[in-house]
Amino acid sequence: MKRERLDKILANMGLGTRKEVKQFVKQGMITVDGQVATDAGMHVIPETQEIMIDGEPLIFKRWVYIMLNKPPGVISATEDSRHETVVDLLPPEWAGRVHPVGRLDIDTEGLLLLTNDGQLSHNLLSPKKKVDKEYFARIRGRVTPEHIAQFAKGIALDDDFTTLPARLEILSSGEISEINVTIMEGKFHQVKRMFAAFDLEVIYLKRLRMGPLVLDDSLALGEFRELTDEELASLGGGSSTTA
Ligand code: URA
């Protein structure tokens, strides 16, 4: 377990900026193991030592795992000079701590995991782990069983990259078709490029699932919640040692 500066712990938990939490210490509002803290830079092990703020215990959580239903128009990044980012949607106690696990295009909606667990993030994104990702899409044009067969073989994309086999399911076929597709990689614009290889345009894209993690359909666009213990266990998270 890591010893950390008291002001950093308090700021990371969203109590205020470093400057503000230093003031709380100055005002004698913070106790550590029952003693009033006088030095904002004192080192504390937040898992084992009891920190109180104005008599209220601080519930410390080192690892944060958030499921977001990403709305269109926001960027899957922690900062951007032009657009709102997915972390801008979160409250301050989380926003400064987490990063998105992979990227969805600005116009793509749906499941996005945000965490400060670098190990879990790596495991989910590593091409070696072949974590499958399922999307719902609306396609301009007719999707046919022939496409299902082609997707199952893997699609040669425009830059000489051939995808791994993908599972395509047709929900409806017509001038606008609706499909579910499951892919095992996460190349830039991958789903759009797989359909573009057949001159088909993805006009709506939503991620439904990443490995065992399924988008909670009670979350409206832009809404988020922490993962449940079951969801976290299914991903193998919570025991990582990297921040
Ligand atoms: N494939 C895409 O084309 N876009 C996404 O956002 C995700 C997968």
Side-chain angles (χ1 to χ4, degrees), residues 48-151:
T48 57
Q49 293 186 270
E50 189 184 47
I51 304 174
M52 306 257 261
I53 303 119
D54 238 355
E56 291 290 324
L58 176 81
I59 311 295
F60 178 79
K61 272 196 202 165
R62 186 169 293 282
W63 306 114
V64 181
Y65 304 89
I66 298 157
M67 175 191 292
L68 168 72
N69 185 1
K70 179 191 169 297
V74 300
I75 301 259
S76 303
T78 51
E79 50 183 47
D80 189 85
S81 54
R82 287 185 303 145
H83 293 99
E84 199 182 12
T85 71
V86 286
V87 300
D88 293 333
L89 302 171
L90 304 178
E93 68 266 30
W94 290 337
R97 302 178 72 196
V98 297
H99 59 263
V101 178
R103 281 166 184 266
L104 292 175
D105 295 339
I106 188 164
D107 55 348
T108 302
E109 299 178 3
L111 176 65
L112 189 66
L113 176 64
L114 295 115
T115 183
N116 57 351
D117 184 339
Q119 188 61 52
L120 177 72
S121 193
H122 172 79
N123 289 346
L124 288 170
L125 295 176
S126 163
K128 281 195 222 129
K129 307 269 175 171
K130 296 197 176 70
V131 172
D132 55 350
K133 272 112 5 196
E134 185 177 348
Y135 295 84
F136 165 81
R138 239 172 247 125
I139 311 290
R140 193 182 311 286
R142 190 172 292 278
V143 180
T144 67
E146 178 55 24
H147 295 119
I148 296 179
Q150 296 288 337
F151 272 57

Side-chain angles (χ1 to χ4, degrees), residues 199-211:
D199 284 330
L200 292 167
E201 187 193 353
V202 173
I203 53 174
Y204 173 82
L205 188 60
K206 174 180 185 175
R207 183 155 62 193
L208 303 174
R209 183 172 64 79
M210 186 175 197

Side-chain angles (χ1 to χ4, degrees), residues 28 30-37 42 48-53 55:
I30 314 291
T31 60
V32 176
D33 293 336
Q35 303 284 320
V36 175
M42 75 182 280
T48 57
Q49 293 186 270
E50 189 184 47
I51 304 174
M52 306 257 261
I53 303 119

Side-chain angles (χ1 to χ4, degrees), residues 39 79 159 168 236:
D39 174 12
E79 50 183 47
D159 55 2
L168 178 61

Side-chain angles (χ1 to χ4, degrees), residues 174-205:
E175 268 172 44
I176 304 286
S177 303
E178 293 192 333
I179 61 95
N180 277 347
V181 64
T182 305
I183 60 174
M184 283 185 286
E185 300 129 313
K187 295 276 174 197
F188 186 60
H189 294 334
Q190 181 161 336
V191 172
K192 291 173 184 163
R193 286 158 71 206
M194 289 171 86
F195 282 98
F198 301 96
D199 284 330
L200 292 167
E201 187 193 353
V202 173
I203 53 174
Y204 173 82
L205 188 60

